[in-house]
Amino acid sequence: MAKLEVTVAGIKLRNPLILASGILGITSGLMVRVERAGAGGIVTKTITKKPREGYDNPVFLELDVGYINAMGLPNPGADYFAEELRKLENFHIPIIASIGGSTPEEFTYVANKLKIPLVKGFEINASCPHVSKHGVEILSDRKLLSEIVSSVKSVSNNSPVFVKLSAMINDVVKLGEIALESGADGLVAINTIRAMAIDIWAKKPVLSNIYGGLSGPAVKYVAQRVIYELYNVFPDKPLIGVGGIEKWQDVVEFILAGASAVQLGSVIAKKGLTVFNEIIRGVKMYMEQEGFRNIEEMRGLAHRT
Amino acid sequence: MHRLSVVTRVENLAEGIKSYWLALDSDLNAEPGQFIMVWIPGVGEIPIAVAYEENKKLRLVIARRGKTSNYIHENLVKGDRVFIRGPYGNGYIYSNVRRALLVGGGYGASSLLFLASKLVNRGGKATVILGFRNKSKVILVKDFTEIGADVIVCTDDGSYGIKGLASEVAEEIMDDFDAVYTCGPEIMMTKVVHYALSKGRSVQASLERIIKCASGVCGSCVLEPQGLLVCRDGPVFDGEILIKTEDFGRYWLDKTGRRIDISRLKN
Ligand SMILES: Cc1cc2nc3c(=O)[nH]c(=O)nc-3n(C[C@H](O)[C@H](O)[C@H](O)COP(=O)(O)OP(=O)(O)OC[C@H]3O[C@@H](n4cnc5c(N)ncnc54)[C@H](O)[C@@H]3O)c2cc1C
Ligand SMILES: Cc1cc2nc3c(=O)[nH]c(=O)nc-3n(C[C@H](O)[C@H](O)[C@H](O)COP(=O)(O)O)c2cc1C
Ligand code: FES
């Protein structure tokens, strides 16, 4: 029997499919739905110290090759969200809190607020491509990145801390190294990639914010490359792959590239929450057919010479 | 990406409510109760119910409410371009319904018009009760009559039709119908849903919440505690589900995702 359970940086997941940040993880009712749909874990919407309304519509676009969004990190703020999470009862899958901010102080404020029993880990969103000072700028400032990681780690009560990386930075391996040296337990890759869409009849950019982040199938092969590169250098570290995963074959590809687990994001727009069980069935079938007993046996096999 | 459409006709329906006919280059195949996102470049993008669709012609009924709807009212004329995406969501379920009671309030009458025309075309009977604040707000009465629906109008002050609430009139005549549909202010829909269920009638209601992605990913349109998404699972929901939904008639999420009392929405 193929086993789907994995342990990632000490967090036990019933299967390697985690809900990606920014997708439905904003209320307790939605998290219960995601748990029932079969997810192995949930990353919350990125939460900031103060509430944010996000940008004006249009904020989301469906493309032939994926999606572009510039939601603008709307979220109810750390104080409110901590209460929202406390509403969860009989909840069994691990929650990873995604934290956003622009200074170490903002990050530790949110981490401290969200330090509640259901939260088993933190994901530092250092890679949002469309909110100024809340994302990619952090990755471009190595000292700031290192300070943010070590300050979140210092208040995390030994819960694992992940850093979510962007493919928009050339030397992603170097950044991964800085994150890990600063105390991060694992890496998540990738966030959306800065992009835009122009309407030829309006002759204007469509998003109110002009720039947004590209996700979906269009970014899958980029995300896979980043996981492969990271695994080359950090084969012993937890690596979570995200970007364009839509079917079980994609999950297998990411694990072969070196992912310990994966996240599903915009595919929910196309397939709804039933995608979790659909993919789980496929991965299981593949593992049985290929004789894998567990996910760990498959991990990184594409690197074998 | 959005589809291009062109305004072919603008009608003033009542104070602050206009109807827009749009020409499309292909059918949307929308169902009654579904909605589209209307983008006005440089201004905004808002969800609007489909009031009618036939042969690449789409009708919308738009009330003045704020930034984007005001702009539409003040600027959009015949020949202008409108950008739309959709249709989204689940509409009304109406197959096999013989005698339907439709209860609308304000611009909520719009999606019911499309529903009534489908019901009548299938040989069913549609009776619609429309409620408005006063005579100057009354819309679509002629349109419902023309497609063959029976129309009862009420106004809060009695300046047109019956003086009283649409939900009260609905209670008086509900026994004669096998299915009830409602779209309008949520306080009205709450009354209609509770009464219909107490009488053992099947009832569906079309809800509004803040729509951002319209694609079931951002969570802004959620109803708690079940985590139902208005853009994806709705906007039309079965009454049996709604009465178990704490938020129905009580709460919205604001743009940040904080739950606020429904009476605190600015109108
Ligand atoms: C499924 C659905 C169908 C709708 N159908 C119609 C229709 O057929 N005709 C019609 O006139 N109106 C309809 N509405 C309401 C319409 O979308 C709002 O009036 C409009 O978004 C207001 O935007 P604004 O820029 O004009 O005003 P704003 O100043 O932005 O807002 C005024 C008020 O409108 C509401 N609102 C604002 N933005 C949104 C949003 N993105 N989504 C939902 N509500 C919002 C809020 O209550 C807000 O307080 C529908 C709403 C939904 C959710
Ligand atoms: C609508 C939307 C909102 C998102 N919000 C966030 C967010 O708040 N924080 C974050 O770290 N990533 C956010 N993301 C990025 C996703 O978590 C994910 O990294 C990216 O979309 C690639 O995965 P996918 O192709 O499976 O969607 C968002 C993506 C989408 C589509
Ligand atoms: S509007 Fe985004 S989930 Fe409904």
Coordinates of all heavy atoms in Angstrom, one line a residue, chain A residues 22-24 27-30 33 51-53 56-63 71 74-76 80 84 197-199 201-206 268-269 272, chain B residues 1-2 4 37 39 41-42 44-45 67 81 83 85 88 211-213 215-219 222 224-229 232-233 253 255-259:
Chain A
G22 N -3.7 32.6 -0.1 CA -4.5 33.6 -0.9 C -5.7 32.9 -1.6 O -6.5 33.6 -2.3
I23 N -5.8 31.6 -1.4 CA -6.9 30.9 -2.0 C -7.8 30.4 -0.9 O -7.5 29.5 -0.2 CB -6.4 29.6 -2.8 CG1 -5.2 30.0 -3.7 CG2 -7.5 28.9 -3.6 CD1 -5.5 31.0 -4.9
L24 N -8.9 31.1 -0.8 CA -10.0 30.7 0.2 C -9.6 30.7 1.7 O -10.5 30.6 2.5 CB -10.6 29.3 -0.2 CG -11.2 29.2 -1.6 CD1 -11.8 27.8 -1.8 CD2 -12.3 30.3 -1.8
T27 N -11.5 32.6 5.9 CA -12.5 32.4 7.0 C -12.4 31.0 7.6 O -12.0 30.1 6.9 CB -13.9 32.7 6.6 OG1 -14.3 31.7 5.7 CG2 -14.1 34.1 5.9
S28 N -13.0 30.8 8.8 CA -13.0 29.5 9.4 C -13.9 28.6 8.6 O -13.5 27.4 8.4 CB -13.4 29.6 10.8 OG -14.6 30.4 10.9
G29 N -15.0 29.1 8.1 CA -15.9 28.2 7.3 C -15.3 27.7 6.1 O -15.4 26.5 5.7
L30 N -14.5 28.5 5.4 CA -13.8 28.0 4.2 C -12.7 27.0 4.5 O -12.5 26.0 3.8 CB -13.2 29.2 3.5 CG -14.2 30.0 2.6 CD1 -13.6 31.4 2.2 CD2 -14.7 29.3 1.4
R33 N -14.3 23.7 4.9 CA -14.6 23.1 3.6 C -13.4 22.5 3.0 O -13.5 21.5 2.3 CB -15.1 24.2 2.7 CG -16.6 24.1 2.5 CD -17.0 25.2 1.5 NE -17.4 24.5 0.2 CZ -17.9 25.2 -0.8 NH1 -18.2 26.5 -0.7 NH2 -18.2 24.6 -1.9
P51 N -5.5 45.7 8.9 CA -6.4 45.3 7.9 C -6.1 46.0 6.6 O -5.6 47.1 6.6 CB -7.8 45.7 8.3 CG -7.7 46.1 9.8 CD -6.2 46.4 10.0
R52 N -6.3 45.3 5.5 CA -6.1 45.9 4.1 C -7.3 45.6 3.3 O -7.8 44.4 3.2 CB -4.8 45.3 3.4 CG -3.5 45.6 4.1 CD -2.4 44.9 3.4 NE -2.4 45.1 1.9 CZ -1.7 46.1 1.3 NH1 -0.9 46.9 2.0 NH2 -1.8 46.3 0.0
E53 N -7.8 46.6 2.5 CA -8.9 46.3 1.6 C -8.5 45.7 0.3 O -9.4 45.1 -0.4 CB -9.6 47.7 1.3 CG -10.4 48.3 2.5 CD -11.4 49.2 2.1 OE1 -11.4 49.7 0.9 OE2 -12.3 49.5 2.9
D56 N -8.8 48.0 -6.0 CA -10.2 48.0 -6.7 C -10.2 47.0 -7.8 O -9.2 46.7 -8.5 CB -10.4 49.4 -7.3 CG -10.7 50.4 -6.2 OD1 -11.1 50.0 -5.0 OD2 -10.6 51.6 -6.4
N57 N -11.4 46.5 -8.1 CA -11.6 45.7 -9.3 C -11.3 46.5 -10.6 O -11.5 47.7 -10.6 CB -13.1 45.3 -9.4 CG -13.5 44.2 -8.4 OD1 -12.6 43.7 -7.7 ND2 -14.7 43.9 -8.3
P58 N -10.9 45.8 -11.6 CA -10.5 44.4 -11.8 C -9.3 44.0 -11.0 O -8.3 44.6 -11.1 CB -10.3 44.2 -13.3 CG -10.9 45.4 -13.9 CD -10.8 46.5 -13.0
V59 N -9.4 42.8 -10.3 CA -8.2 42.3 -9.6 C -7.9 40.9 -10.0 O -6.9 40.3 -9.5 CB -8.5 42.3 -8.0 CG1 -8.5 43.7 -7.5 CG2 -9.8 41.6 -7.7
F60 N -8.7 40.3 -10.9 CA -8.4 38.9 -11.2 C -8.9 38.7 -12.6 O -9.9 39.1 -13.1 CB -9.2 38.0 -10.3 CG -9.0 36.5 -10.5 CD1 -7.9 35.9 -9.9 CD2 -9.8 35.7 -11.3 CE1 -7.6 34.5 -10.0 CE2 -9.6 34.4 -11.4 CZ -8.5 33.8 -10.8
L61 N -8.0 37.9 -13.4 CA -8.3 37.7 -14.8 C -8.0 36.3 -15.2 O -7.0 35.7 -14.8 CB -7.4 38.5 -15.6 CG -7.8 39.9 -16.1 CD1 -6.8 40.5 -17.0 CD2 -9.1 39.8 -16.9
E62 N -8.9 35.6 -15.9 CA -8.6 34.3 -16.4 C -8.0 34.5 -17.8 O -8.5 35.2 -18.6 CB -9.9 33.5 -16.6 CG -10.6 33.3 -15.3 CD -12.1 33.3 -15.4 OE1 -12.7 34.3 -15.6 OE2 -12.7 32.2 -15.2
L63 N -6.9 33.8 -18.1 CA -6.2 33.8 -19.4 C -6.3 32.4 -20.0 O -6.6 31.5 -19.3 CB -4.8 34.2 -19.2 CG -4.4 35.4 -18.2 CD1 -2.9 35.4 -18.0 CD2 -4.9 36.7 -18.8
M71 N -4.8 41.2 -6.2 CA -5.8 41.4 -5.2 C -5.4 42.5 -4.2 O -6.2 43.3 -3.7 CB -5.9 40.1 -4.3 CG -6.2 38.8 -5.1 SD -7.7 38.8 -6.1 CE -9.0 39.2 -4.9
P74 N -5.7 41.8 0.3 CA -6.8 42.1 1.3 C -6.8 41.1 2.4 O -6.6 39.9 2.2 CB -8.0 41.9 0.4 CG -7.6 41.0 -0.7 CD -6.2 41.3 -0.9
N75 N -6.9 41.6 3.6 CA -7.0 40.7 4.8 C -7.5 41.5 6.0 O -7.3 42.7 6.0 CB -5.7 40.0 5.0 CG -4.7 40.9 5.7 OD1 -4.6 40.9 7.0 ND2 -3.9 41.6 5.0
P76 N -8.1 40.8 6.9 CA -8.7 41.5 8.0 C -7.8 42.0 9.1 O -8.2 42.6 10.1 CB -9.7 40.5 8.6 CG -9.1 39.1 8.2 CD -8.4 39.3 6.9
Y80 N -7.9 40.5 14.2 CA -9.2 39.9 13.8 C -9.0 38.5 13.3 O -9.8 37.6 13.7 CB -9.8 40.7 12.6 CG -11.2 40.2 12.2 CD1 -12.3 40.9 12.6 CD2 -11.3 39.1 11.3 CE1 -13.6 40.4 12.2 CE2 -12.5 38.7 10.9 CZ -13.7 39.3 11.4 OH -14.9 38.9 11.0
E84 N -10.7 34.8 14.3 CA -11.3 33.9 13.3 C -10.8 32.5 13.4 O -11.6 31.5 13.3 CB -11.0 34.5 11.9 CG -11.7 33.8 10.7 CD -13.2 33.9 10.7 OE1 -13.7 34.9 11.3 OE2 -13.9 33.0 10.2
A197 N -1.8 42.5 -18.2 CA -2.6 42.1 -19.3 C -3.2 43.4 -19.9 O -3.7 44.2 -19.2 CB -3.7 41.2 -18.9
I198 N -3.2 43.5 -21.3 CA -3.7 44.6 -21.9 C -4.9 44.2 -22.8 O -4.9 43.2 -23.4 CB -2.6 45.3 -22.8 CG1 -1.5 45.9 -21.9 CG2 -3.2 46.3 -23.8 CD1 -0.3 46.4 -22.6
D199 N -5.9 45.0 -22.7 CA -7.1 44.7 -23.6 C -7.0 45.6 -24.8 O -6.8 46.8 -24.8 CB -8.4 45.1 -22.8 CG -9.6 44.7 -23.6 OD1 -9.9 45.4 -24.7 OD2 -10.3 43.7 -23.3
W201 N -9.1 46.3 -27.2 CA -10.2 47.2 -27.6 C -10.3 48.4 -26.6 O -10.6 49.5 -27.1 CB -11.5 46.4 -27.6 CG -11.4 45.2 -28.5 CD1 -11.4 43.9 -28.2 CD2 -11.2 45.3 -30.0 NE1 -11.3 43.1 -29.3 CE2 -11.2 43.9 -30.4 CE3 -11.1 46.3 -30.9 CZ2 -11.0 43.5 -31.7 CZ3 -11.0 45.9 -32.3 CH2 -10.9 44.5 -32.6
A202 N -10.0 48.1 -25.4 CA -9.9 49.3 -24.4 C -8.6 50.0 -24.6 O -8.5 51.2 -24.2 CB -10.1 48.7 -23.0
K203 N -7.6 49.3 -25.1 CA -6.3 49.8 -25.3 C -5.7 50.3 -23.9 O -5.0 51.3 -23.8 CB -6.3 51.0 -26.3 CG -6.9 50.6 -27.6 CD -7.0 51.7 -28.6 CE -7.8 51.3 -29.8 NZ -9.3 51.3 -29.6
K204 N -6.0 49.5 -22.9 CA -5.5 49.8 -21.6 C -5.1 48.5 -20.8 O -5.7 47.5 -21.1 CB -6.7 50.4 -20.8 CG -6.9 51.9 -21.1 CD -7.9 52.5 -20.0 CE -7.9 54.0 -20.0 NZ -8.6 54.5 -21.2
P205 N -4.3 48.7 -19.8 CA -4.1 47.5 -18.9 C -5.4 47.2 -18.2 O -6.2 48.1 -17.9 CB -3.1 48.1 -17.9 CG -2.5 49.3 -18.5 CD -3.5 49.9 -19.4
V206 N -5.6 45.9 -18.0 CA -6.9 45.5 -17.4 C -7.0 45.7 -15.9 O -8.0 46.2 -15.3 CB -7.3 44.1 -17.8 CG1 -8.6 43.7 -17.2 CG2 -7.3 43.9 -19.3
I268 N -8.1 25.8 -8.3 CA -9.4 25.8 -7.6 C -10.4 26.6 -8.5 O -11.6 26.3 -8.5 CB -9.3 26.4 -6.2 CG1 -8.2 25.8 -5.4 CG2 -10.7 26.3 -5.4 CD1 -8.3 24.5 -4.8
A269 N -9.9 27.7 -9.2 CA -10.8 28.4 -10.0 C -11.4 27.6 -11.2 O -12.5 27.7 -11.5 CB -10.1 29.6 -10.6
G272 N -12.5 23.7 -8.9 CA -13.2 23.6 -7.6 C -12.4 22.8 -6.6 O -11.4 22.2 -6.9
Chain B
M1 N -9.8 37.0 -20.0 CA -9.8 38.3 -20.5 C -11.3 38.7 -20.8 O -12.2 37.8 -20.8 CB -9.0 38.4 -21.8 CG -7.5 38.1 -21.6 SD -6.6 39.4 -20.7 CE -6.6 40.8 -21.9
H2 N -11.6 40.0 -20.9 CA -13.0 40.4 -21.1 C -13.4 40.2 -22.6 O -12.6 40.2 -23.5 CB -13.1 41.8 -20.7 CG -12.9 42.1 -19.2 ND1 -11.7 42.1 -18.7 CD2 -13.8 42.2 -18.2 CE1 -11.8 42.3 -17.3 NE2 -13.0 42.4 -17.0
L4 N -15.7 42.0 -25.6 CA -16.2 43.3 -26.0 C -17.6 43.3 -26.3 O -18.1 42.3 -27.0 CB -15.4 43.7 -27.3 CG -15.8 45.0 -27.9 CD1 -15.5 46.2 -27.0 CD2 -15.0 45.2 -29.2
M37 N -19.4 40.1 -14.9 CA -18.6 41.2 -14.4 C -18.5 42.3 -15.5 O -18.1 42.0 -16.6 CB -17.2 40.8 -14.0 CG -17.1 39.8 -12.8 SD -17.9 40.4 -11.3 CE -16.5 41.5 -10.7
W39 N -16.8 45.6 -16.8 CA -15.6 46.4 -16.6 C -15.7 47.7 -17.4 O -15.9 47.7 -18.6 CB -14.4 45.6 -17.0 CG -13.1 46.4 -17.0 CD1 -12.6 47.3 -16.0 CD2 -12.1 46.4 -18.0 NE1 -11.4 47.8 -16.4 CE2 -11.0 47.3 -17.6 CE3 -11.9 45.8 -19.3 CZ2 -9.9 47.6 -18.3 CZ3 -10.8 46.1 -20.0 CH2 -9.8 46.9 -19.5
P41 N -13.2 50.5 -18.3 CA -11.8 50.8 -18.2 C -11.5 52.1 -17.5 O -12.2 53.1 -17.8 CB -11.3 50.8 -19.7 CG -12.2 49.9 -20.4 CD -13.6 50.1 -19.7
G42 N -10.6 52.1 -16.6 CA -10.3 53.3 -15.9 C -11.2 53.7 -14.8 O -11.0 54.6 -14.0
G44 N -13.9 51.0 -13.0 CA -14.1 49.9 -12.1 C -14.7 48.7 -12.8 O -15.0 48.7 -14.0
E45 N -15.0 47.6 -12.0 CA -15.6 46.4 -12.5 C -16.6 45.9 -11.4 O -16.2 45.8 -10.3 CB -14.5 45.4 -12.7 CG -15.0 44.1 -13.4 CD -14.1 42.9 -13.3 OE1 -13.5 42.7 -12.2 OE2 -13.8 42.2 -14.3
K67 N -19.4 54.5 -7.2 CA -18.5 54.9 -8.2 C -18.8 54.4 -9.7 O -19.0 55.2 -10.6 CB -17.1 54.4 -7.8 CG -16.0 55.0 -8.6 CD -14.6 54.6 -8.0 CE -13.5 54.9 -9.0 NZ -12.4 53.9 -8.9
R81 N -18.5 51.2 -25.8 CA -18.0 49.9 -25.5 C -18.1 49.5 -24.1 O -17.8 50.3 -23.2 CB -16.6 49.7 -26.0 CG -16.4 49.8 -27.5 CD -15.0 49.8 -27.9 NE -14.9 49.6 -29.3 CZ -13.8 49.5 -30.0 NH1 -12.6 49.7 -29.4 NH2 -13.8 49.3 -31.3
F83 N -17.0 46.1 -21.4 CA -16.2 44.9 -21.4 C -16.8 44.0 -20.3 O -17.0 44.4 -19.2 CB -14.8 45.3 -21.1 CG -14.2 46.3 -22.1 CD1 -14.5 47.6 -22.1 CD2 -13.5 45.8 -23.2 CE1 -14.0 48.5 -23.1 CE2 -13.1 46.6 -24.2 CZ -13.3 48.0 -24.2
R85 N -17.0 39.9 -18.5 CA -16.5 38.5 -18.3 C -17.6 37.7 -17.6 O -18.4 38.3 -16.9 CB -15.1 38.4 -17.6 CG -15.0 39.0 -16.3 CD -13.6 39.0 -15.7 NE -13.5 39.6 -14.4 CZ -13.4 38.9 -13.3 NH1 -13.3 37.5 -13.3 NH2 -13.3 39.5 -12.1
Y88 N -21.1 33.9 -14.6 CA -20.6 33.2 -13.4 C -21.7 32.7 -12.6 O -22.8 33.3 -12.5 CB -19.7 34.1 -12.6 CG -18.4 34.5 -13.3 CD1 -18.2 35.8 -13.7 CD2 -17.4 33.6 -13.5 CE1 -17.1 36.2 -14.4 CE2 -16.3 34.0 -14.2 CZ -16.1 35.3 -14.6 OH -14.9 35.6 -15.2
I211 N -18.0 40.9 -4.6 CA -17.4 40.1 -5.6 C -16.1 40.7 -6.1 O -16.0 41.8 -6.5 CB -18.3 39.9 -6.8 CG1 -19.7 39.4 -6.4 CG2 -17.7 38.9 -7.9 CD1 -19.8 38.0 -5.9
K212 N -15.0 39.9 -6.0 CA -13.7 40.4 -6.5 C -13.3 39.5 -7.7 O -13.3 39.9 -8.8 CB -12.7 40.4 -5.4 CG -12.9 41.5 -4.3 CD -11.8 41.6 -3.3 CE -12.1 42.7 -2.3 NZ -11.0 42.8 -1.3
C213 N -12.9 38.2 -7.4 CA -12.4 37.4 -8.4 C -13.5 36.8 -9.3 O -13.3 36.5 -10.5 CB -11.5 36.2 -7.9 SG -12.5 34.9 -7.0
S215 N -14.4 33.9 -9.4 CA -14.0 32.6 -9.8 C -13.8 31.6 -8.7 O -13.2 30.6 -8.9 CB -12.7 32.7 -10.6 OG -12.8 33.6 -11.7
G216 N -14.3 32.0 -7.5 CA -14.2 31.0 -6.4 C -12.8 30.8 -5.8 O -12.5 29.7 -5.2
V217 N -11.9 31.8 -5.9 CA -10.6 31.6 -5.2 C -10.3 32.6 -4.1 O -9.6 32.3 -3.2 CB -9.4 31.6 -6.2 CG1 -9.5 30.4 -7.0 CG2 -9.4 32.9 -7.1
C218 N -10.9 33.8 -4.2 CA -10.4 34.9 -3.2 C -11.1 34.8 -1.9 O -10.6 35.3 -0.9 CB -10.5 36.3 -3.8 SG -12.1 36.9 -3.9
G219 N -12.3 34.3 -1.9 CA -13.1 34.2 -0.6 C -13.8 35.4 -0.2 O -14.5 35.4 0.9
V222 N -17.8 35.1 0.7 CA -18.2 34.0 1.5 C -19.4 34.2 2.4 O -19.6 35.3 2.9 CB -17.0 33.5 2.3 CG1 -16.7 34.4 3.5 CG2 -17.2 32.1 2.8
E224 N -20.8 32.6 5.9 CA -20.4 31.7 7.0 C -21.6 31.2 7.8 O -22.7 31.8 7.8 CB -19.5 32.5 8.0 CG -18.1 32.8 7.3 CD -17.2 31.7 7.2 OE1 -16.6 31.3 8.3 OE2 -17.1 31.1 6.1
P225 N -21.5 30.1 8.5 CA -20.3 29.3 8.8 C -19.9 28.2 7.8 O -18.9 27.6 7.9 CB -20.6 28.7 10.1 CG -22.0 28.4 10.1 CD -22.6 29.5 9.3
Q226 N -20.8 28.1 6.7 CA -20.5 26.9 5.8 C -19.4 27.2 4.8 O -19.0 26.3 4.1 CB -21.8 26.5 5.1 CG -22.9 26.0 5.9 CD -23.9 27.2 6.1 OE1 -23.5 28.3 6.4 NE2 -25.2 26.9 6.1
G227 N -19.0 28.5 4.7 CA -18.0 28.8 3.7 C -18.6 28.7 2.3 O -17.9 28.3 1.3
L228 N -19.8 29.1 2.1 CA -20.4 29.1 0.8 C -20.0 30.3 0.0 O -19.9 31.4 0.6 CB -22.0 29.1 0.9 CG -22.6 27.9 1.6 CD1 -24.0 28.1 1.9 CD2 -22.4 26.6 0.6
L229 N -19.7 30.1 -1.3 CA -19.2 31.2 -2.1 C -20.4 31.7 -3.0 O -20.9 31.0 -3.8 CB -18.1 30.8 -3.0 CG -16.8 30.3 -2.2 CD1 -15.8 29.7 -3.1 CD2 -16.2 31.5 -1.4
R232 N -19.7 31.4 -6.7 CA -19.4 30.0 -7.2 C -20.6 29.1 -6.9 O -21.1 28.4 -7.8 CB -18.1 29.5 -6.6 CG -17.7 28.2 -7.2 CD -16.9 28.5 -8.4 NE -16.3 27.2 -8.9 CZ -15.2 27.2 -9.6 NH1 -14.5 28.3 -9.7 NH2 -14.7 26.1 -10.1
D233 N -20.9 29.0 -5.6 CA -22.0 28.1 -5.2 C -23.3 28.8 -5.4 O -24.4 28.2 -5.6 CB -21.8 27.8 -3.7 CG -20.5 27.2 -3.4 OD1 -20.1 26.2 -4.0 OD2 -19.8 27.8 -2.6
L253 N -19.1 40.3 4.6 CA -17.7 40.6 4.8 C -17.4 41.9 4.1 O -17.9 42.1 3.0 CB -16.8 39.5 4.2 CG -16.8 38.1 4.8 CD1 -15.6 37.3 4.3 CD2 -16.9 38.1 6.3
K255 N -14.5 44.7 2.6 CA -13.4 44.4 1.6 C -12.2 43.8 2.2 O -11.4 43.3 1.5 CB -13.1 45.7 0.8 CG -14.2 46.0 -0.2 CD -13.9 47.2 -1.1 CE -15.0 47.4 -2.1 NZ -15.0 48.7 -2.7
T256 N -12.0 44.0 3.5 CA -10.9 43.4 4.2 C -11.1 42.0 4.6 O -10.2 41.2 5.0 CB -10.5 44.2 5.5 OG1 -11.4 43.9 6.5 CG2 -10.4 45.7 5.2
G257 N -12.4 41.6 4.6 CA -12.7 40.2 5.1 C -13.2 40.2 6.5 O -13.4 39.1 7.1
R258 N -13.5 41.4 7.1 CA -14.1 41.4 8.5 C -15.6 41.4 8.3 O -16.2 42.0 7.5 CB -13.7 42.7 9.2 CG -12.3 42.6 9.7 CD -11.9 43.9 10.3 NE -11.9 45.0 9.3 CZ -11.5 46.2 9.4 NH1 -11.0 46.6 10.6 NH2 -11.5 47.1 8.4
R259 N -16.3 40.6 9.2 CA -17.7 40.4 9.1 C -18.4 41.7 9.7 O -18.1 42.1 10.8 CB -18.1 39.3 10.0 CG -19.0 38.3 9.5 CD -19.0 37.1 10.5 NE -20.0 36.2 10.1 CZ -20.5 35.3 11.1 NH1 -20.1 35.4 12.3 NH2 -21.4 34.5 10.7

